[in-house]
Amino acid sequence: MTELRLIEKIEGEAQVRYRFEEGRVADAQIRFLTGRNIEKILEGKPPMDALAINPRICGICGHAHLITTVRALEGCYPALRLSEKARIVRELTLSFELLQNHFKWFYLTIWPLVFPEEPAVGRATEPSRIVGEMIALIAGKYPHNSYALPGGITNEITPVEILGAGERLRELKRLFASSLIDVELSDFTRCDRIEDMLAREGDLPRVMAAILDRGWERLGRSFDRFIVLGGGGLFASGKSHATRIRGHLDFRYIKESSIKDSRALMVRYREKVYETGPLARAMLLKTPLIREAHRRWGDSLFSRILARVCEIPRLLLYADELLREIDYAQRSWIDPGPMPREAEGVGLVEAARGSLIHRVRVEEGRIARYQIVTPTQWNLGSGPGDNPGIAQKALLDCRRDDPLELIFKSFDVCSVCTTH
């Protein structure tokens, strides 16, 4: 029996065509049917136009697209210098966007599928408002800001903005403890026992306990292969199969391929599919609580949800460190000179959903080719029945009455990024 389901309440739209045999998923073809053609729009334009266009690829992770664009353009310069202040400010705003997305994803995507009779919209909108103000203080208008450019940032940061951001960061910490889990941030980052997490007060223990009570903790297992491309800062780059980690990556082996009846492209590394995102980052960082969840239930729905929320305290502590390290005396922007008329560059960033890649080739002073590889391509790419993608594998062999939508959305789908 075949059944077509429209996946709603995501960034954009997606379809899953399920084929059930004896009450279980025998095949799940994921389709993204609308396209925006950002890569094609960029062709022939001056390289700096990408700084205004690319943040508008997505309303959720536009800042990640901006920073990835800047890094790709900076790769076109033979000798570009970046002040430590500019690097820190970029890291700050990128971390802020991740925090905003993690709160929203948990309360607007996961929570309604576990507790549909208990709306929790306010617990998403308040952190979102606070983070939006933090980014606006440092980077200007948000979303879709363009404050970063090759050589640094456009704005001069003062103690007033940093004090304002610090005050809001403390409020965000209070919200984390009062809503998600009542625990000291540093203690939570060191926690290695699932039972200790479940014993705490908060919405995270409630969701994870409900998943255990309903017998869902082993659902959603995929290939147990993980990849992180945007290393540096808070995250480590590399790939792993289960707990076996390899640090070296050769970007020549990242290849895209078309998907039948879909506007999205499949992406593989050395002809294999890999999961990217918070679970991948936690596995490469050997985050204690996630390693314990993985030991028990593998790359499951349980581990995937827990991993994303476990990034929040690490990001909050990291942002605290960055705010203290800013040297106001340093230059915000160092003139890189004219961009070569013939050049290539690659930008890598860890966005909320996972690794994001931008590649640019400049010929005769214009963009000749622009390539964007998004996290959803890694996680939601759809292959044939005998060679499935990450999310497809997670859905296979599930029962018809299992929480298929929850498994699907645990990867956090972004159609508009994927069909750029």
Side-chain angles (χ1 to χ4, degrees):
M1 176 182 179
T2 300
E3 182 177 323
L4 182 65
R5 297 186 186 181
L6 177 65
I7 307 299
E8 300 177 298
K9 298 182 180 178
I10 60 173
E11 185 75 357
E13 301 83 26
Q15 289 182 353
V16 184
R17 186 180 296 276
Y18 290 102
R19 180 166 58 83
F20 295 98
E21 293 181 0
E22 298 181 359
R24 291 185 176 272
V25 178
D27 187 31
Q29 292 296 316
I30 302 166
R31 298 288 181 261
F32 299 96
L33 303 180
T34 57
R36 301 172 69 221
N37 302 307
I38 297 295
E39 293 167 325
K40 187 63 68 175
I41 290 170
L42 289 166
E43 290 180 8
K45 288 185 166 47
M48 295 303 166
D49 281 13
L51 296 174
I53 294 170
N54 289 353
R56 289 161 175 80
I57 291 172
C58 179
I60 300 294
C61 51
H63 199 74
H65 281 287
L66 168 65
I67 301 301
T68 317
T69 302
V70 171
R71 291 178 179 175
L73 294 175
E74 287 178 338
C76 294
Y77 291 86
L80 180 142
R81 292 186 300 138
L82 189 70
S83 73
E84 184 66 4
K85 180 173 77 171
R87 184 197 69 80
I88 288 173
V89 171
R90 290 181 185 181
E91 274 292 299
L92 264 175
T93 52
L94 191 59
S95 298
F96 291 162
E97 185 175 77
L98 264 66
L99 283 166
Q100 184 186 62
N101 287 339
H102 290 353
F103 273 99
K104 289 196 294 186
W105 170 81
F106 182 82
Y107 281 114
L108 299 181
T109 301
I110 300 302
W111 180 272
L113 295 173
V114 180
F115 300 115
E117 304 303 320
E118 298 182 40
V121 174
R123 278 169 272 176
T125 55
E126 184 61 9
S128 180
R129 177 191 65 80
I130 292 170
V131 173
E133 291 178 0
M134 292 161 72
I135 296 176
L137 276 169
I138 294 176
K141 178 182 71 71
Y142 181 77
H144 311 320
N145 48 21
S146 298
Y147 84 107
L149 74 168
I153 55 177
T154 60
N155 49 330
E156 288 295 342
I157 302 299
T158 72
V160 173
E161 285 89 27
I162 297 305
L163 285 170
E167 179 183 345
R168 288 164 176 82
L169 186 62
R170 288 189 290 274
E171 179 60 23
L172 206 58
K173 291 178 181 178
R174 288 192 289 270
L175 282 174
F176 175 82
S178 64
S179 60
L180 279 168
I181 182 168
D182 186 13
V183 66
E184 290 292 327
L185 298 179
S186 56
D187 291 343
F188 192 45
T189 61
R190 294 191 296 268
C191 178
D192 61 359
R193 296 186 71 250
I194 300 296
E195 289 74 19
D196 290 347
M197 179 271 297
L198 294 172
R200 293 284 182 171
E201 295 293 324
D203 293 335
L204 174 64
R206 280 193 65 196
V207 166
M208 305 320 293
I211 289 172
L212 289 169
D213 291 344
R214 298 171 193 181
W216 295 347
E217 67 275 10
R218 296 183 185 277
L219 298 177
R221 297 179 68 162
S222 192
F223 290 104
D224 221 8
R225 291 196 294 261
F226 308 103
I227 196 164
V228 178
L229 301 170
L234 188 61
F235 304 118
S237 62
K239 64 183 179 72
S240 73
H241 185 193
T243 58
R244 298 188 299 278
I245 297 174
R246 299 287 183 273
H248 176 69
L249 295 171
D250 189 334
F251 298 108
R252 293 176 301 174
Y253 294 104
I254 297 174
K255 303 294 184 183
E256 290 182 307
S257 58
S258 60
I259 302 170
K260 183 181 178 182
D261 300 326
S262 177
R263 297 298 298 270
L265 296 175
M266 188 84 165
V267 61
R268 293 181 173 88
Y269 181 78
R270 290 185 179 269
E271 302 303 322
K272 293 181 179 179
V273 292
Y274 284 83
E275 178 172 347
T276 188
L279 179 55
R281 295 193 286 253
M283 291 300 294
L284 265 74
L285 288 171
K286 301 182 180 180
T287 303
L289 193 59
I290 305 311
R291 297 273 286 196
E292 174 61 11
H294 181 270
R295 184 186 68 81
R296 296 189 188 189
W297 304 298
D299 58 337
S300 66
L301 171 72
F302 187 100
S303 301
R304 199 167 289 118
I305 293 173
L306 184 61
R308 186 150 183 184
V309 179
C310 279
E311 269 194 4
I312 295 177
R314 298 189 71 247
L315 286 162
L316 290 168
L317 293 171
Y318 182 54
D320 238 350
E321 293 175 12
L322 293 173
L323 285 171
R324 291 194 297 268
E325 292 175 1
I326 291 178
D327 182 353
Y328 303 105
Q330 291 184 353
R331 296 170 66 181
S332 294
W333 180 69
I334 300 172
D335 188 352
M339 179 183 287
R341 290 180 60 79
E342 312 287 331
E344 292 186 4
V346 178
L348 303 167
V349 154
E350 282 302 305
R353 296 172 174 91
S355 298
L356 175 64
I357 309 170
H358 283 217
R359 287 174 169 152
V360 61
R361 186 172 74 242
V362 178
E363 296 177 359
E364 298 181 358
R366 298 273 173 167
I367 295 174
R369 185 172 187 266
Y370 206 100
Q371 180 188 23
I372 303 167
V373 182
T374 67
T376 299
Q377 287 178 249
W378 289 97
N379 293 336
L380 279 298
S382 188
D386 59 348
N387 191 18
I390 293 293
Q392 283 179 290
K393 173 67 173 174
L395 292 164
L396 292 179
D397 205 40
C398 288
R399 295 186 300 269
R400 187 188 182 92
D401 58 352
D402 281 336
L404 301 179
E405 185 177 355
L406 183 61
I407 295 169
F408 187 84
K409 289 185 176 179
S410 70
F411 293 97
D412 196 9
V413 190
C414 184
S415 167
V416 296
C417 280
T418 301
T419 58
H420 42 259

